[in-house]
Amino acid sequence: MKLLILDSGHAEYVQGKEAPDKSMREWEFNDDMQNRIKKLAQKHGLTVYLTNPNPEKKDEIGLTKRAELANDYWKSQNKPPALFFSIHSNAYQTEFNAARGTETYVASNASQSSKDAAKYVQDSVYKMIKSIDSNAKDRGVKVADFTVIYKAQMPSILEEYAFYTNKDDLKILKEYRDELAEATIQGVCKYFGIEYKPSQPEKPTDPPAVQEELYKYCVVYNSQVDENIAQILSWHLKYCIVVDLSIYKPGLGETVFVIGGACEKLKGNFNFQGKDRWETLDMVMQYINKNK
């Protein structure tokens, strides 16, 4: 048994802790993320315990109480290999500003296991955010005696995914939660020493005889930036292949999506090319949201 204890920070009745434009509240992000991470963790064979499973229409449980809940459950399971993971999003002041980035905390009493887990998750989450925003900031692993991680008796970390008081970070917090959860699990798997399996459907094991129908969808790109956008789209398509324009062949997919600069040389069923990568990404996200 390997145990992941998820600690969703805050609850609905906690005042403040919301984006300046009121488009996101931290408790809602934290709760949504814990459920996404829980699902992925269980798929990887981890046992999951939630210290704050139902924060809606409630006030704070209390920081010490959440740590005690984690400790009690861990002990009740005979102290298996475990990680306490506290989920948060960050803020600086109350108006939108330039402060942004991803940071992971350990307490001053952290074990080496805590420090390792923090590095693995920090690196994975930052890498994912950087893949969609070249201006993303890596704030690194930091030390602070937040009650929940200081009092947790198993290895423990606290994740601040990004700042909801920064417009670019807020967009990521609102629109890329599946990707953030996936990156988190990648780091968690490395900590536990288990194989990480991306949440992408496998290619059909018994493909049709006609090569053209091997994949239902094909996403074509022609640059590193466009490849990142293509990968984001592919996560939402079943039986999909992502290929560089240079190796694309007609018939690779029943439906062809063309991303960015590749649109200048290839017309697919859907072509997404904006004035810049951000507009292209917005076009892709609009398609994803419309076809969920």
Side-chain angles (χ1 to χ4, degrees):
M1 174 184 179
K2 295 181 179 179
L3 174 63
L4 177 63
I5 300 176
L6 295 175
D7 176 65
S8 175
H10 312 302
E12 183 173 1
Y13 291 161
V14 176
Q15 297 300 309
K17 297 191 179 299
E18 64 182 0
D21 62 1
K22 302 188 183 304
S23 64
M24 192 196 91
R25 296 187 64 193
E26 186 183 352
W27 80 268
E28 179 275 326
F29 169 82
N30 299 343
D31 182 45
D32 188 27
M33 285 297 295
Q34 79 169 345
N35 287 302
R36 292 171 190 260
I37 294 169
K38 175 184 177 182
K39 183 178 179 180
L40 293 174
Q42 290 174 331
K43 286 183 177 179
H44 283 82
L46 298 175
T47 299
V48 180
Y49 175 75
L50 307 182
T51 64
N52 185 20
N54 300 298
E56 188 174 5
K57 299 188 182 342
K58 292 182 181 178
D59 208 338
E60 285 277 27
I61 294 175
L63 302 174
T64 297
K65 179 63 175 177
R66 298 209 312 264
E68 290 174 346
L69 288 168
N71 293 336
D72 289 346
Y73 185 81
W74 179 58
K75 292 174 185 175
S76 75
Q77 302 300 307
N78 297 316
K79 299 182 180 180
L83 177 65
F84 177 95
F85 185 89
S86 192
I87 302 167
H88 292 262
S89 48
N90 220 337
Y92 178 68
Q93 301 181 344
T94 58
E95 301 297 325
F96 283 122
N97 59 80
R100 68 175 307 191
T102 302
E103 56 194 19
T104 309
Y105 284 88
V106 295
S108 61
N109 61 353
S111 63
Q112 186 59 49
S113 293
S114 295
K115 295 174 184 178
D116 289 344
K119 183 180 187 307
Y120 298 152
V121 173
Q122 173 69 22
D123 289 350
S124 184
V125 171
Y126 169 69
K127 181 179 179 181
M128 173 265 143
I129 296 176
K130 184 74 170 178
S131 74
I132 60 172
D133 183 347
S134 62
N135 294 317
K137 184 174 181 180
D138 182 359
R139 299 173 70 92
V141 175
K142 299 184 177 182
V143 178
D145 286 335
F146 295 116
T147 300
V148 288
I149 57 174
Y150 186 79
K151 292 188 174 182
Q153 295 173 3
M154 70 294 298
S156 56
I157 64 176
L158 185 149
E159 183 72 12
E160 296 278 10
Y161 281 96
F163 283 71
Y164 53 81
T165 49
N166 177 279
K167 290 183 178 179
D168 292 323
D169 271 11
L170 177 60
K171 181 181 178 68
I172 290 166
L173 292 171
K174 289 163 61 177
E175 298 183 7
Y176 294 94
R177 295 182 183 182
D178 281 340
E179 293 81 359
L180 289 172
E182 198 75 42
T184 300
I185 283 297
Q186 190 170 2
V188 168
C189 284
K190 186 172 182 180
Y191 165 76
F192 280 113
I194 60 179
E195 181 184 0
Y196 163 68
K197 298 177 181 178
S199 297
Q200 296 185 27
E202 298 179 358
K203 301 179 184 67
T205 54
D206 296 309
V210 182
Q211 178 68 23
E212 286 82 353
E213 297 181 358
L214 178 56
Y215 299 96
K216 186 174 180 64
Y217 301 106
C218 178
V219 186
V220 185
Y221 66 90
N222 195 30
S223 72
Q224 180 64 53
V225 170
D226 291 341
E227 181 182 8
N228 294 333
I229 298 173
Q231 291 290 350
I232 291 169
L233 175 58
S234 74
W235 294 339
H236 300 271
L237 301 173
K238 189 175 183 180
Y239 300 137
C240 175
I241 184 171
V242 179
V243 298
D244 188 283
L245 178 63
S246 63
I247 60 173
Y248 168 75
K249 295 180 180 180
L252 270 178
E254 296 176 24
T255 302
V256 177
F257 298 84
V258 187
I259 307 297
C263 294
E264 298 172 7
K265 298 181 179 179
L266 176 66
K267 181 173 177 57
N269 301 94
F270 296 91
N271 283 48
F272 300 115
Q273 183 180 29
K275 291 181 291 186
D276 54 32
R277 64 185 177 190
W278 298 114
E279 188 171 308
T280 300
L281 180 58
D282 281 338
M283 293 169 70
V284 169
M285 291 308 302
Q286 288 175 24
Y287 174 86
I288 291 171
N289 291 330
K290 184 178 179 181
N291 291 276
K292 281 185 176 179

